[in-house]
Amino acid sequence: MADSNRREENGFSLKTDSRLIGNDLRSVPAAFRTLFWYDIAGLWVGMVVCVPSYYMAGSLIDLGMSWWQGIATIVCGNTIILIPLILNGHPGARYGISFPILLRSAFGIQGAYVPALFRALVACGWCGIETWIGGQAIFLLLLPSSLKLSWYAQPLSWLGISVLEFCCFLLFLLVQLGILWKGMDRIKSLEKYSAPLLILMVACLFFWAYCKAGGFGEMLSTPSRLNPNQFWPVFLSSLTASITTWSGLGLNISDFTRFASSQFDQIVGQLGMPIFMGLFTFSGLAITSSTAVIYGRVISNPVELFDEIGGSTLTVVIAILGISLATITTNIPANFVAPANALVSFSPSTFSFLGAAALTGLFSMAFQPWKIIQSSENFIYTWLVGSSIILSPIMGIMLTDYYIIRRMVLDVNALYSDSTQGPYYYVGGYNIAAFSTLIICVAPTVPGLLHKTGIIASTSEAFLAIYDNAWFFGIFSASIIYWLLSQWRRNSKAWVDPSMLESLQPTTSIL
């Protein structure tokens, strides 16, 4: 039987179960919340300056947008997602709790594993994409031409890539796990010192494009290929995709803000994200647009662009270093942390954070990331928009539960208790209202996803419209439906009035 602590609170005898805690899931004491606003801002610079963000910007040019339309779309999307990022960061900074623990408030002590798993699966997909990009940098920029022309570099029909490419993928995965093995403190140091190096690398590539293309006039000369009737469908899907780029992190941002020294630091540290993204987007769009002038075709993947540029050994070293830093400083905090914490939450006694991170890397292979970024259409319409159909309803439920239902008051001890009398036990440990909402909101987006992936040949225009705007549909419909179902459940014993918890302190004395 698991060890536990008991306490009396508001008439309940609550038992805090060690099976629900684990060292990696404990509430962070105030003394260990040491991230200031500039640390969080540096974290965002490191995450924003990454190949998928560059590829996202370049993909909009590839889909027919002009450079200014692409910038407007991405800045608008990132400004929108900033709101839930800051809102979901609040409970992390106030209570010191991680994403899997925060989920217990809305989904129940046992039910929290389900949305944590969904978030983990999306993160595994992103982890695979980032790792594939790092592996491609090794394959294209480091391996000699003779090896790349050998049999080992020929794609296998059943896999879709070559043995060499898969080995480079595994090598880059091992590099990331090696850094994780050194601990999260090493990641924080890497983020702090890599940010200026990444900015310098992008500036050098931008200067190269400026000189080769013959100035800004030529760099930004690629016009929009979309007429007004074509533009709006592409814009709405691209806006959803831009929001979804950071939507997953918007769910588990408390994994980071729980280390923030104050609410001021978590808010101010995140405010610069749309600005960083806007500047990086402009660079990515301008460089991608210039490739149409320089090479006669659009090259939206920076790894392929560096391969095309070629040059001296120094150029190759800078390219490898820059791409590796950009990938690692994004992939580890954004895509290893969430699934690793989710796995630890499933069984704290079984999984360590490092072991869970290793499993995340293995799971990422199943997504076959080389197929996801095979084309701009796959990346934006299938992967980014597709992942929003599950992430956005979870976000709507979490925000409504914390801000409207519970009025920002949580009982931290009860979040670690499996007592049937606890406020987050609901029915058998599951909040029926949250899961009903999730099913209701996801169902209308499925036909559009099946159509985009080619599983079904056609579907209703209404379903396609819902799918193209999946993030907006998911977050707003989930918020309304969850609130209505929660009001209906108000008088049942599964619901506890937040006013009963008003006397509780933001931190717990036993964790």
Side-chain angles (χ1 to χ4, degrees):
M1 181 177 295
D3 294 333
S4 62
N5 295 305
R6 288 185 179 273
R7 67 170 185 135
E8 295 287 334
E9 189 72 59
N10 295 312
F12 296 135
S13 176
L14 296 186
K15 180 180 66 174
T16 304
D17 196 329
S18 62
R19 292 172 299 180
L20 300 174
I21 302 177
N23 291 330
D24 295 311
L25 297 177
R26 292 179 182 273
S27 174
V28 177
F32 291 91
R33 301 178 194 178
T34 57
L35 289 184
F36 295 100
W37 68 267
Y38 48 83
D39 296 311
I40 297 173
L43 180 73
W44 270 113
V45 171
M47 289 193 292
V48 161
V49 183
C50 65
V51 175
S53 294
Y54 181 106
Y55 185 66
M56 169 71 186
S59 294
L60 299 185
I61 296 291
D62 203 20
L63 292 174
M65 287 190 180
S66 65
W67 67 272
W68 69 266
Q69 289 171 337
I71 290 176
T73 301
I74 291 179
V75 170
C76 182
N78 281 268
T79 302
I80 292 171
I81 194 61
L82 178 65
I83 298 171
L85 275 165
I86 290 175
L87 291 177
N88 257 348
H90 185 280
R94 183 177 188 185
Y95 296 101
I97 55 177
S98 62
F99 168 64
I101 305 305
L102 179 60
L103 281 173
R104 294 173 182 175
S105 170
F107 288 87
I109 295 297
Q110 301 299 327
Y113 296 132
V114 177
L117 178 61
F118 285 140
R119 170 64 183 106
L121 288 174
V122 173
C124 285
W126 272 114
C127 177
I129 291 171
E130 295 272 9
T131 303
W132 170 251
I133 289 168
Q136 276 295 96
I138 295 173
F139 176 78
L140 291 174
L141 303 178
L142 278 186
L143 298 185
S145 299
S146 59
L147 196 55
K148 287 188 286 186
L149 294 174
S150 68
W151 177 87
Y152 299 103
Q154 301 306 309
L156 301 175
S157 58
W158 60 273
L159 186 60
I161 57 173
S162 67
V163 173
L164 269 180
E165 287 175 308
F166 189 69
C167 288
C168 290
F169 174 85
L170 290 178
L171 176 60
F172 197 77
L173 177 61
L174 290 174
V175 169
Q176 294 174 100
L177 292 176
I179 294 172
L180 267 173
W181 181 67
K182 294 291 185 180
M184 288 303 292
D185 288 338
R186 183 63 59 90
I187 307 302
K188 294 175 186 176
S189 300
L190 193 62
E191 291 280 0
K192 183 180 296 184
Y193 297 112
S194 66
L197 292 176
L198 295 174
I199 294 171
L200 179 62
M201 184 198 73
V202 175
C204 290
L205 192 58
F206 185 87
F207 181 72
W208 169 87
Y210 177 86
C211 294
K212 293 288 288 185
F216 283 117
E218 293 297 324
M219 286 178 72
L220 305 176
S221 62
T222 304
S224 173
R225 302 191 305 274
L226 305 172
N227 62 44
N229 291 331
Q230 295 171 324
F231 172 77
W232 288 109
V234 173
F235 168 75
L236 291 173
S237 296
S238 300
L239 181 64
T240 297
S242 178
I243 293 170
T244 308
T245 301
W246 301 115
S247 186
L249 195 61
L251 289 181
N252 72 289
I253 190 65
S254 59
D255 285 335
F256 304 96
T257 59
R258 66 182 181 139
F259 296 102
S261 60
S262 67
Q263 290 293 350
F264 172 84
D265 289 290
Q266 78 95 359
I267 293 171
V268 174
Q270 295 198 78
L271 283 177
M273 188 272 281
I275 299 173
F276 304 147
M277 195 69 182
L279 292 172
F280 185 64
T281 296
F282 173 73
S283 301
L285 285 166
I287 294 166
T288 300
S289 185
S290 71
T291 60
V293 177
I294 299 169
Y295 296 109
R297 61 188 178 93
V298 173
I299 303 176
S300 56
N301 190 328
V303 179
E304 294 178 6
L305 178 57
F306 275 119
D307 184 47
E308 190 74 35
I309 293 171
S312 64
T313 302
L314 179 61
T315 303
V316 173
V317 170
I318 292 174
I320 284 289
L321 181 62
I323 292 171
S324 297
L325 278 175
T327 302
I328 291 170
T329 54
T330 300
N331 206 24
I332 290 178
N335 304 317
F336 272 101
V337 171
N341 279 340
L343 286 172
V344 171
S345 73
F346 293 153
S347 180
S349 61
T350 302
F351 293 108
S352 67
F353 180 81
L354 183 60
L359 280 178
T360 298
L362 293 176
F363 290 153
S364 71
M365 300 178 194
F367 284 82
Q368 295 186 296
W370 43 90
K371 293 185 178 180
I372 293 176
I373 61 172
Q374 193 172 28
S375 69
S376 299
E377 288 81 3
N378 279 352
F379 182 62
I380 290 180
Y381 296 141
T382 303
W383 172 247
L384 287 175
V385 179
S387 60
S388 70
I389 71 174
I390 189 67
L391 297 182
S392 57
I394 294 173
M395 183 175 289
I397 292 168
M398 289 177 67
L399 292 175
T400 302
D401 183 80
Y402 182 68
Y403 285 96
I404 299 177
I405 306 298
R406 307 213 175 263
R407 298 197 290 272
M408 299 184 290
V409 178
L410 297 176
D411 180 345
V412 178
N413 281 336
L415 288 171
Y416 296 91
S417 171
D418 64 353
S419 170
T420 58
Q421 295 178 302
Y424 311 117
Y425 193 78
Y426 299 104
V427 179
Y430 295 84
N431 185 356
I432 304 303
F435 283 99
S436 299
T437 300
L438 196 59
I439 293 170
I440 292 170
C441 294
V442 170
T445 63
V446 174
L449 175 64
L450 296 177
H451 175 67
K452 291 292 184 180
T453 54
I455 296 175
I456 60 175
S458 62
T459 188
S460 166
E461 289 294 325
F463 286 134
L464 290 177
I466 290 173
Y467 179 77
D468 288 341
N469 300 277
W471 190 85
F472 295 99
F473 174 81
I475 192 169
F476 289 115
S477 63
S479 297
I480 294 169
I481 294 170
Y482 179 68
W483 180 79
L484 290 173
L485 291 178
S486 297
Q487 291 298 102
W488 176 76
R489 192 195 67 220
R490 188 181 184 94
N491 295 321
S492 72
K493 66 180 181 179
W495 187 86
V496 174
D497 192 320
S499 63
M500 296 175 63
L501 308 176
E502 290 287 354
S503 63
L504 295 178
Q505 297 299 317
T507 56
T508 174
S509 59
I510 66 172
L511 299 180

